[in-house]
Amino acid sequence: MPKSWTDGAPAPVALQDHATLEDPLSYKVKRRFLGGALNRHSLGHQRLSKRYGLGILSSDCISSSAYGSEQILIALLPAFGLAAFTILMPMTGVVIAILILITLSYRNVISVYTKTGGAYIVSRDNFGPVVAQIAAVALMLDYIVTLAIQSAAGVAAIISTFPALAPWKIPMILVVILILTYGNLRGVKEAGKAFAFPTYFFVGSMFIVFTMGIWRLMNGTLPVLDTDLPGAIEIGQEQGLLTAAGIFILLRAFANGGSSLTGLEAISDGVALFKEPEAQNARRTLVIMSSILGTLVLGVSWFAHHIQAMPYESGTPTVISQIAKATMGDGTFGQFMFIMVQLATMLILFAGANTTYSAFPLLCNFVATDGYLPRQLTKRGHRLAFSNGILLLAGGGVFLVLITAGSVEHLVAFYALGVFTGFTLAGFGMARHSRRTKPEGWKVKYVINALAGSVSLTIVIIFSVVKFTQGAWLVLLVSPILVVSFLRLQRRYASEQAALSVKQEHERATSIARHDVTVLVDNVDLATVGAIRYARSLKPRKLSAVHFVIDDRRAAEIQEAWANSDALDDVTLELIDCPDRRLPNAALEYAIRMTEKQDVELTLLLPRRAYSGFLGRLLHDQTAERIAAPISQLQRVVATIVPFDVNRILSGSTPQVVKVAEEKVAVKPAAFKPVEQVIRDVEPVSHYAENLTPIGEIQWRKRAHVQGRVTSIKSAPRGSAPYLQVEVWDQTGGVTLQFLGRRDIAGLEVGSQIRAEGMVGEEEGSLTILNPSYELLV
């Protein structure tokens, strides 16, 4: 290219957007379905106050109060008859005592792990990665069950209000899961303040119900419901509490009640979402959440005890809906409040289900980053969400809904086992941390955490026994299999990483002097000529071509065509017999023979003709791939496939490109403000060009003050003189900043914003600012 300072040379210009291929149909469908792709630099999270943190992160936990007491009654009524309503209150008291203990334990978790402190992180840091996988499996199963049970319970609230919808129960649950999945694939943020509304709506509605219920109880108008209704749970005969069967049923009811404690871990997982001081705000929010949960569980149990609300075989009407109807009465206001309570219950249950779409993919990301799950779970999708994790969660939730017919009672059997396994590992992990680090008051913390872990472990054992035939057997069977699978996957990743690691003897990547190139030929056509042209560009010591003979007549035709081609007259064609027609074996043997000497490096070029879609694969084989696979296992041999698009020639088309610049809206110069107006707290960095200039308008040999996003950073290799090239773009174009005498700039990353000022020069026809003064923007 002519130099810019010579006569008649083109004027240097700012960098401009390149053309890009037209989007394929699959991407257009994705963009239409999910919206435009989000820029990765827009990724971030919103800091939450305690008010919003409580509303957003506690929906899963608080919503479990909607069915916890009902599940206790389902276990007690068939065994103890109407005495179950008397047993309900002390059973609820035990659940609340455990709630207090677990809350105290998780306050310690938040104090130590001030960014994220779920059971997986606590187990990994205190017991190692192997034990952490038990927590990972337990939590993953818990999140999947949470999605299914919250969606099913939310639909049950709808059916309790509109009983005619009962035949559509399963389709309604699946539609809810589908809507939540779609919304989260589009990038719905858990930190969106709208998700705080259902929690406060539900809590407010329930406190109105409790207030009205207490008022009606005091004036004697609170009704007692009929217990002998069609569809209700069968009432058994009263029996002794201390018999073997009675104790077993009590333990089963207690296990059912444990479902009220799910979601307690959510705040410890999201400590980093809170405003500073994060840990202090998270601890206070955790205590408030647990207090609200305890109050709601106690209130629902107390009113269920007083009005004798019966659970139903079909799951509807729910106990909480019966309480709302009984306390609010049958008047106009009562009917309105009943619908509001059911609406609030539905919303908080669906909001609780939605929290799993944040927690489950994030947990999978942690585990996959550690190497115990496929790496695909660490990648963000089209809208910056962990799409693979979201789809995995949705698939598991749909599976559970189908095998349990959307029954909350049956789903509970899968539920608390995973929850309390996480509580167990978190409690014991924090106990070990307290004993190892011995912070201030460590003995008290040790006792609290050890007790929480011990109680949780006891509940896990109880649950495994009393719920074994109702579905716990499946969790107990699947969990060890998943843990072993995770460990085997990590060993595989570790062995692959060890094989690819650069050892000391490989530190010096020296070149082998004798580099030969061989082109494998199965026809004399444009693909072969293109491969030979590419081979020449490699500048090998020796260039040759090889055809493996499996058909003598075809070999003779290739030899004749080769001899008659002017494009190939300087390349020797070698015919090698392949009597058994096993081309990969023949190529492997040839490569070994050519690299017998240790100072020879061989590159095999395999022309591959690309044909159209399914028909092309049907009419043509994939020989190049089958040959390249075994060749890649040899040392000092590289198999390179050289693609050639035959379909493009047949159709007479060229790749359709779209110039990005044509799609962009022109940027008005007025959008760029003086430095002191853009950032008032920073002194101007330039003594010459005070005002910011759009990069597309900067001029050669004049000073310019520009601001843009860093899209490329190029530094000099260690063995050469230090320099750094930074490519910066705004909406109007790009410019290169050159820094001589340095290889990096502290804080400079791809995607960061930079402001620079200096004299505009040029290099290879593009504008460049040499050694500018600069300022990194946050």
Side-chain angles (χ1 to χ4, degrees), residues 261-507:
L261 306 185
T262 58
L264 273 175
E265 193 178 58
I267 290 180
S268 67
D269 287 335
V271 176
L273 290 172
F274 285 89
K275 292 181 179 179
E276 295 181 350
E278 297 95 336
Q280 180 179 335
N281 289 333
R283 286 198 306 271
R284 291 177 179 175
T285 305
L286 173 65
V287 172
I288 296 172
M289 179 185 73
S290 298
S291 301
I292 293 174
L293 174 62
T295 302
L296 291 175
V297 171
L298 183 63
V300 171
S301 295
W302 193 70
F303 279 103
H305 159 73
H306 274 282
I307 70 172
Q308 296 188 353
M310 293 290 296
Y312 281 72
E313 295 282 357
S314 64
T316 55
T318 60
V319 166
I320 196 171
S321 69
Q322 296 176 57
I323 293 173
K325 199 171 188 65
T327 56
M328 303 310 297
D330 295 326
T332 302
F333 177 74
Q335 290 292 334
F336 172 77
M337 282 305 303
F338 172 72
I339 294 176
M340 288 297 101
V341 170
Q342 293 304 98
L343 176 62
T345 304
M346 177 199 71
L347 288 177
I348 194 173
L349 287 166
F350 290 162
N354 184 73
T355 60
T356 62
Y357 283 95
S358 174
F360 180 87
L362 191 60
L363 173 64
C364 290
N365 173 54
F366 289 150
V367 179
T369 301
D370 291 339
Y372 293 90
L373 279 176
R375 296 282 166 77
Q376 289 86 338
L377 292 170
T378 66
K379 300 184 184 303
R380 295 186 180 270
H382 187 71
R383 302 282 293 180
L384 295 181
F386 293 109
S387 303
N388 293 326
I390 290 174
L391 294 175
L392 180 62
L393 171 65
V398 168
F399 175 75
L400 282 182
V401 168
L402 293 178
I403 66 172
T404 61
S407 169
V408 175
E409 178 188 359
H410 293 154
L411 286 168
V412 166
F414 300 98
Y415 205 6
L417 191 58
V419 176
F420 281 96
T421 300
F423 292 164
T424 300
L425 293 174
F428 285 141
M430 289 306 301
R432 184 171 185 176
H433 178 274
S434 298
R435 188 165 186 174
R436 186 178 71 248
T437 59
K438 295 186 178 180
E440 182 181 356
W442 71 271
K443 291 183 178 179
V444 175
K445 294 178 180 178
Y446 176 81
V447 171
I448 291 175
N449 291 314
L451 185 59
S454 301
V455 171
S456 299
L457 178 60
T458 303
I459 295 173
V460 169
I461 296 172
I462 292 173
F463 197 94
S464 301
V465 174
V466 302
K467 287 288 187 178
F468 185 82
T469 58
Q470 295 183 335
W473 67 269
L474 183 59
V475 178
L476 295 173
L477 175 65
V478 170
S479 296
I481 295 175
L482 290 177
V483 170
V484 172
S485 300
F486 287 10
L487 296 176
R488 288 179 62 87
L489 183 63
Q490 195 277 336
R491 283 197 293 270
R492 177 65 181 180
Y493 274 132
S495 61
E496 292 174 353
Q497 186 174 359
L500 292 172
S501 62
V502 180
K503 300 177 176 60
Q504 187 173 1
E505 59 268 23
H506 301 147
E507 286 289 342

Side-chain angles (χ1 to χ4, degrees), residues 3-6 9-14 695 697-704 758-763 765-769:
K3 298 299 181 182
S4 299
W5 56 81
T6 60
V13 295
I695 293 178
E697 298 180 8
I698 63 176
Q699 298 179 22
W700 179 43
R701 289 183 173 175
K702 290 188 178 181
R703 300 195 71 87
M759 180 64 72
V760 181
E762 69 85 36
E763 183 179 10
S766 297
L767 295 178
T768 303
I769 303 179

Side-chain angles (χ1 to χ4, degrees), residues 521-531 554 568 607 609 611 644 646:
V521 177
D522 65 347
N523 203 350
V524 180
D525 54 14
L526 284 176
T528 301
V529 172
R554 179 169 177 77
L568 308 172
R609 298 149 185 87
Y611 301 92
F644 188 83
V646 179

